[in-house]
């Protein structure tokens, strides 16, 4: 296992995009630039003093209209590690509960001189809408079932710690594909970097025609795990399902859950999960705690990846990691 990723892409030094709304439009070169920058920030996070002055004077607001543990804390830590001024907004306890719109909320916050806005929202397209309401740079922290680009970037970063290249790598994404913004962003990122992606889950949780994204689809877990390098299990999102789309969680686990038996049959298989995990559903509880499950490494890497995204989008002249 190697630490760096060899790619056929030409290195670039700046992003073409002003915002990070999704990975659908990000090129392989841009994704590699973010991963390479994150590697430098990952080293900063190993130092006794995990802080650099890179974003001193920059104000970032974290607009969270939906619950979050990992993404919210990770962005906040990334901003603090970069010495940015950070402001946290939660829909609950704000004037949203009095009927204030996203546009008015964002414009009022921007009137207090905010440079960057990180947004999580239940509505797909909310970050795109925000770019039309404010001048601040916008980063999507998850919009409905659309995209979760920084989750996919931290997933890619974690994979890159274990494999020399994405070219030809076999990644299986398992579970609730229909409701998963993580799956969509990972499909775009992994395909851009040359990985083979297999989607596996119940027919009721698989979008019709998803093959047009360049992925293979199977409804059999054994088939998805054959020759697979990384299995990325997704959370069953009971809160986004209008009706129950499979008979029971127990049945789901029996058909699509990864167990110690699967790990024994696939001795090199790496297990990932974006969290939060439903223990005993997507993954057997022993698998969550297994050394080949890199779930907490994903969380650790998330801070470095978000530092990289904020740094590259802030476009500060002369900024670095010293
Ligand atoms: N993976 C992820 O987005 O987790 P949170 O919902 O806790 O942010």
């Amino acid at each position: 296992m190697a630490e760096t990723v060899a790619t056929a892409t030409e290195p670039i030094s700046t992003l073409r995009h002003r915002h990070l709304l999704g990975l659908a439009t990000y090129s392989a070169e841009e994704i590699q630039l973010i991963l390479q920058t994150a590697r430098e920030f990952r080293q900063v996070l190993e130092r006794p003093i995990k802080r650099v002055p890179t974003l001193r004077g920059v104000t970032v607001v974290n607009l969270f209209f939906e619950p979050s543990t990992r993404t919210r804390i990770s962005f906040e830590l990334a901003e603090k590690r970069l010495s940015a001024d950070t402001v946290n907004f939660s829909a609950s306890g704000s004037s949203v509960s009095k009927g204030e719109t996203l546009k008015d909320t964002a414009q009022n916050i921007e009137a207090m001189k905010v440079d960057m806005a990180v947004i999580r929202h239940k509505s797909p397209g909310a970050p795109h809408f925000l770019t039309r309401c404010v001048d601040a740079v916008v980063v999507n922290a998850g919009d409905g079932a659309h995209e979760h680009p920084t989750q996919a970037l931290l997933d890619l970063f974690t994979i890159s710690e274990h494999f020399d290249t994405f070219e030809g790598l076999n990644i299986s994404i398992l579970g609730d594909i229909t409701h998963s913004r993580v799956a969509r962003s990972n499909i775009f990122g992994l395909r851009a970097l040359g990985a083979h992606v297999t989607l596996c889950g119940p027919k009721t949780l698989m979008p019709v025609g998803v093959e047009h994204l360049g992925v293979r689809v199977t409804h059999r877990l054994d088939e998805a795990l054959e020759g697979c390098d990384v299995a990325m299990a997704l959370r069953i999102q009971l809160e986004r399902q209008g009706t129950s789309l499979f008979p029971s969680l127990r049945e789901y686990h029996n058909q699509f859950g990864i167990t110690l038996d699967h790990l024994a049959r696939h001795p090199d298989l790496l297990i990932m999960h974006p969290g939060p995990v439903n223990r005993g559903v997507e993954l057997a509880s022993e698998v969550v705690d297994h050394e080949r499950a890199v779930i907490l490494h994903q969380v650790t890497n998330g801070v470095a990846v978000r530092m990289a995204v904020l740094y590259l989008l802030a476009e500060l002249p002369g900024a670095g990691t010293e």
Side-chain angles (χ1 to χ4, degrees), residues 242 254 285:
N254 287 342
S285 192

Side-chain angles (χ1 to χ4, degrees), residues 67-72 120 141 148 151 181-182 274-276 306:
S68 168
T69 298
R70 280 147 288 270
T71 311
R72 183 186 181 124
R120 167 168 290 194
H148 193 349
Q151 176 67 47
R181 54 196 176 205
V182 176
R306 288 175 176 121

Side-chain angles (χ1 to χ4, degrees), residues 117-280:
V118 174
I119 178 169
R120 167 168 290 194
H121 202 284
K122 68 176 187 311
S123 300
H128 304 68
F129 175 71
L130 196 61
T131 63
R132 298 195 288 276
C133 304
V134 299
D135 289 331
V137 168
V138 175
V139 181
N140 182 359
D143 61 330
H146 179 230
E147 281 224 39
H148 193 349
T150 57
Q151 176 67 47
L153 287 165
L154 73 87
D155 294 339
L156 295 173
F157 184 94
T158 305
I159 293 169
S160 80
E161 290 184 309
H162 293 269
F163 298 93
D164 291 327
T165 178
F166 285 94
E167 288 286 345
L169 215 56
N170 291 309
I171 314 285
S172 290
I173 306 179
L174 314 173
D176 184 353
I177 310 295
T178 298
H179 299 94
S180 178
R181 54 196 176 205
V182 176
R184 288 176 63 82
S185 290
N186 264 296
I187 291 168
F188 294 132
L190 288 164
R191 294 291 298 127
L193 297 181
H196 301 302
V197 178
T198 296
L199 306 180
C200 176
K203 286 184 180 160
T204 48
L205 297 178
M206 191 67 68
V208 175
V210 71
E211 292 91 343
H212 81 274
L213 295 177
V215 298
R216 181 175 75 116
V217 172
T218 176
H219 304 291
R220 291 172 46 87
L221 182 59
D222 284 347
E223 215 170 276
L225 296 185
E226 197 56 48
C228 176
D229 298 299
V230 179
M232 198 181 281
L234 302 172
R235 183 172 70 89
I236 291 298
Q237 302 187 41
L238 297 171
E239 75 278 14
R240 288 194 209 278
Q241 296 179 15
T243 56
S244 183
L245 294 170
F246 47 85
S248 71
L249 293 177
R250 179 186 295 241
E251 183 153 329
Y252 178 86
H253 180 68
N254 287 342
Q255 281 200 46
F256 298 102
I258 297 185
T259 63
L260 289 180
D261 187 43
H262 292 113
L263 293 189
R265 275 188 274 147
H266 302 280
D268 296 323
L269 183 66
L270 206 66
I271 304 295
M272 298 176 69
H273 193 299
V277 179
N278 295 308
R279 279 182 184 258

Side-chain angles (χ1 to χ4, degrees), residues 50-114:
K50 305 169 182 58
R51 200 179 177 101
V52 287
T54 313
L55 291 196
R56 192 179 286 157
V58 174
T59 304
V60 188
V61 61
N62 301 310
L63 300 168
F64 277 71
F65 292 84
E66 233 193 15
S68 168
T69 298
R70 280 147 288 270
T71 311
R72 183 186 181 124
I73 293 174
S74 183
F75 266 111
E76 196 179 337
L77 272 177
E79 292 150 13
K80 288 187 192 309
R81 305 286 194 227
L82 290 168
S83 304
D85 297 318
T86 67
V87 186
N88 292 313
F89 166 92
S90 300
S92 60
S94 76
S95 292
V96 169
S97 58
K98 300 176 200 162
E100 190 166 33
T101 62
L102 170 59
K103 179 177 177 177
D104 285 335
T105 301
Q107 288 183 337
N108 275 271
I109 291 172
E110 191 180 47
M112 299 179 228
K113 306 293 177 202
V114 165

